[in-house]
Amino acid sequence: DYACNIILLCFIDAHKHFAESTATYETTHALAAVILEERRIVVLGKLQRFREQADVMVCHGAVLPLLGREQDGLKSLERARKVAEAHGFYSVECNSCYGLGKLAMRAGRTEEGLDLYRNALAAGTLSEVNEESHVLGALGGLSTALLDMNLLDEVEPHVEHYRKAALAQSRREGRVSTQELASIEASARLHEARGRPHEAEREMRALLLLMRDNQAAVQDQILVCKELLLDARLHLKILSFESGREELLMLWAIELKKFGPPYR
């Protein structure tokens, strides 16, 4: 155990480098760090530190697909889920099911993805962690998928929950979170799908205003925010030229321009 603990301490810097490398897409360095993370997972298992091991496996499983190792990422998430289910780590089960749901959706396995998102949310509500931040991914993924499939009766309570949980996260962090922005877009989509275009426009204006007034937070998540605006244009009729809402479309274009080209 002593030797394992010494080895584990050596992985602390590697973990930091792993996060920095993958965040900046330095693939060569990231792949080297991935190997160290895989060894760290083994050491944590030998030390029976199963909660920490499962957390690392979830992060590992989320990053590997970005490096072209989707099947390895899938296996890591499935292992994390099994460990979480065996030990009652509901927040880890929530995160692993969410990651598996994303991969299923990306592969076109829509029903499987929906079930995994639902499982993630169910596990999140039982979580031993006394906050809702860990369920935001599941709420966002499930809300988006249900909206895409026009399952409005099921999605409505989830969007409301998503809005409240995302707002609470922003307040905890003292700054606007990308989850709050995404939850507003989901709310706008729901209003429009329910035949309430004026409410959808109100939500979209609120989103654009938050972006305008919180440039520091937006620039920290520039890729996420840019994709959010592009998705809003793709899904919301109120942002089409045919809607006649020229002022709203201009406000949208002003915010998008801050992120630079290319545009969809």
Side-chain angles (χ1 to χ4, degrees):
D1 283 0
Y2 176 77
C4 284
N5 275 297
I6 294 298
I7 293 170
L8 193 59
L9 287 174
C10 294
F11 287 138
I12 299 300
D13 287 339
H15 179 70
K16 183 178 181 221
H17 181 64
F18 173 73
E20 291 173 349
S21 298
T22 52
T24 56
Y25 300 96
E26 295 174 8
T27 307
T28 302
H29 295 158
L31 287 172
V34 162
I35 295 171
L36 293 175
E37 283 294 277
E38 289 169 348
R39 293 174 182 170
R40 184 183 179 207
I41 289 169
V42 173
V43 172
L44 287 168
K46 289 181 178 179
L47 290 171
Q48 297 187 1
R49 290 166 60 170
F50 299 121
R51 171 56 191 267
E52 190 176 349
Q53 182 193 40
D55 278 330
V56 174
M57 283 191 283
V58 168
C59 294
H60 200 54
V63 168
L64 286 172
L66 301 176
L67 302 174
R69 293 174 56 184
E70 188 158 316
Q71 286 303 311
D72 290 334
L74 182 68
K75 290 176 184 177
S76 185
L77 289 167
E78 286 174 341
R79 286 178 62 201
R81 184 183 183 184
K82 288 178 181 178
V83 171
E85 288 175 342
H87 295 276
F89 303 146
Y90 292 113
S91 62
V92 178
E93 184 181 352
C94 171
N95 292 332
S96 58
C97 284
Y98 169 61
L100 289 167
K102 284 180 67 177
L103 291 178
M105 285 294 185
R106 188 183 304 169
R109 302 190 304 273
T110 307
E111 290 299 330
E112 180 187 345
L114 275 177
D115 285 341
L116 284 162
Y117 283 151
R118 291 181 182 118
N119 289 343
L121 189 56
T125 60
L126 298 172
S127 174
E128 67 283 6
V129 179
N130 189 27
E131 61 179 55
E132 287 196 309
S133 60
H134 59 280
V135 304
L136 282 171
L139 281 168
L142 182 58
S143 296
T144 298
L146 292 172
L147 285 166
D148 287 345
M149 299 177 72
N150 205 38
L151 298 175
L152 303 184
D153 290 338
E154 182 178 355
V155 77
E156 192 148 10
H158 294 313
V159 170
E160 183 179 352
H161 185 185
Y162 188 27
R163 290 284 285 114
K164 290 179 179 177
L167 178 60
Q169 183 193 43
S170 291
R171 287 175 175 169
R172 281 194 302 271
E173 295 178 352
R175 61 186 299 177
V176 172
S177 68
T178 54
Q179 290 285 8
E180 183 180 358
L181 298 174
S183 73
I184 297 173
E185 186 210 358
S187 180
R189 287 185 63 186
L190 177 61
H191 280 305
E192 187 173 83
R194 287 293 198 190
R196 302 188 293 262
H198 295 298
E199 286 83 352
E201 180 177 352
R202 183 194 66 219
E203 290 283 66
M204 198 62 211
R205 285 180 180 274
L207 189 156
L208 295 170
L209 185 63
L210 275 175
M211 282 191 167
R212 187 196 71 186
D213 293 344
N214 294 273
Q215 282 299 300
V218 168
Q219 291 299 319
D220 283 348
Q221 296 289 334
I222 188 168
L223 294 178
V224 175
C225 292
K226 181 177 181 178
E227 193 65 24
L228 182 67
L229 287 177
L230 293 171
D231 281 342
R233 177 70 187 280
L234 182 65
H235 291 111
L236 287 167
K237 294 178 181 177
I238 59 170
L239 288 175
S240 67
F241 290 110
E242 293 79 9
S243 72
R245 292 176 167 82
E246 294 179 3
E247 183 191 359
L248 179 64
L249 190 55
M250 181 181 68
L251 293 173
W252 172 86
I254 289 171
E255 292 307 312
L256 182 63
K257 188 176 181 181
K258 294 175 183 176
F259 301 122
Y263 307 125
R264 276 186 193 163

